[in-house]
């Protein structure tokens, strides 16, 4: 059965409407207030540990080739002997800040960073990060800015002991759609394709 004309369009619109409304959330750029921090979901010790963004509860995953530890309360402080650290956000953020403990005077050339957005596009890949800013005295804080950042992949040499003060602001999108959203979108596109096939067949018979 094919869905024609307005019915197909309506179904397609319903599919797009199912995309999470999180895209409408905005946070004042440059604030990085206490409510924007990445918090622990509980005491953990593994090569992958989890956190949440405080203001909306969206997931954040930290993983490494070595064992990571995270405390059970407050802003997430990641400890371990880290030569690598991969940070995955469920939503796409425009600005992300973080700090590395006991690396006073650190510059962006002291680590390699790969930054990816929610579409899988590499925004940056390499050392001496040109999309980073360094701020603060003593232990430097870093701010990475882009559009819809979902992944930060770090490589450290020598290894570091602590990564902390991860905060985010400025949602560009709601991240990867849920399976039900994908199903509705596929159904909507299928309905449009079906209606076009019927229309082309009628035109062919008419000629």
């Amino acid at each position: 059965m094919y869905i024609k004309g307005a019915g197909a369009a309506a179904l397609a619109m319903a599919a797009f409407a199912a995309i999470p409304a999180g895209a409408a959330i905005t946070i004042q750029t440059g604030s990085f207030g206490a409510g924007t921090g990445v918090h622990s979901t509980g005491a953990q010790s593994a090569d992958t540990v989890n956190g949440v963004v405080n203001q909306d509860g969206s997931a954040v995953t930290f993983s490494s080739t070595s064992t990571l530890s995270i405390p059970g309360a407050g802003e997430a402080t990641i400890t371990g002997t880290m030569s690598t650290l991969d940070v995955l956000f469920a939503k796409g953020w425009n600005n992300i800040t973080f700090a590395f403990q006991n690396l006073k005077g650190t510059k962006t050339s002291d680590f390699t960073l790969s930054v990816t957005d929610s579409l899988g596009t590499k925004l940056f890949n390499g050392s001496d990060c040109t999309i980073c800013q360094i701020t603060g005295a003593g232990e430097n804080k870093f701010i990475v800015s882009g559009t819809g950042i979902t992944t930060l992949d770090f490589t450290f040499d020598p290894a570091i002991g602590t990564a902390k003060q991860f905060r985010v602001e400025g949602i560009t999108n709601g991240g990867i759609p849920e399976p039900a959203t994908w199903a509705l979108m596929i159904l909507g596109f299928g309905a449009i394709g079906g209606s076009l096939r019927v229309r082309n067949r009628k035109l062919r018979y008419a000629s």
Side-chain angles (χ1 to χ4, degrees):
M1 182 183 73
Y2 295 112
I3 302 173
K4 300 180 182 179
L11 190 55
M13 289 298 291
F16 282 111
I19 296 175
I25 298 174
T26 57
I27 303 168
Q28 183 178 356
T29 301
S31 60
F32 283 123
T36 64
V38 176
H39 283 218
S40 168
T41 59
Q44 303 160 65
S45 181
D47 57 5
T48 298
V49 295
N50 301 302
V52 293
V53 175
N54 188 51
Q55 75 264 33
D56 67 0
S58 61
V60 185
T61 301
F62 301 90
S63 59
S64 179
T65 54
S66 59
T67 299
L68 302 174
S69 294
I70 190 171
E75 286 197 8
T77 298
I78 314 301
T79 60
T81 305
M82 290 174 275
S83 57
T84 64
L85 179 65
D86 300 333
V87 187
L88 174 63
F89 295 89
K91 294 185 178 181
W93 302 93
N94 296 343
N95 300 290
I96 302 171
T97 186
F98 49 87
F100 302 133
Q101 195 171 31
N102 300 326
L103 289 183
K104 296 181 179 180
T106 300
K107 297 182 179 179
T108 56
S109 58
D110 291 327
F111 57 84
T112 298
L113 172 63
S114 177
V115 180
T116 309
D117 69 11
S118 58
L119 299 178
T121 304
K122 291 284 186 186
L123 302 180
F124 179 81
N125 188 24
S127 58
D128 198 13
C129 182
T130 55
I131 63 173
C132 296
Q133 299 177 21
I134 303 175
T135 184
E139 293 175 357
N140 286 321
K141 295 179 181 179
F142 301 87
I143 299 174
V144 176
S145 297
T147 302
I149 297 170
T150 55
T151 307
L152 302 175
D153 294 329
F154 298 95
T155 301
F156 305 98
D157 187 13
I160 66 166
T162 303
K164 60 181 182 177
Q165 296 177 346
F166 285 87
R167 296 179 180 178
V168 296
E169 63 179 14
I171 291 179
T172 288
N173 56 55
I176 301 171
E178 296 293 329
T181 301
W182 279 117
L184 281 174
M185 290 175 67
I186 292 169
L187 184 61
F189 288 128
I192 292 174
S195 66
L196 290 175
R197 286 173 59 187
V198 170
R199 184 172 181 270
N200 289 339
R201 187 180 302 164
K202 287 182 177 179
L203 289 173
R204 198 163 51 244
Y205 289 154
S207 60

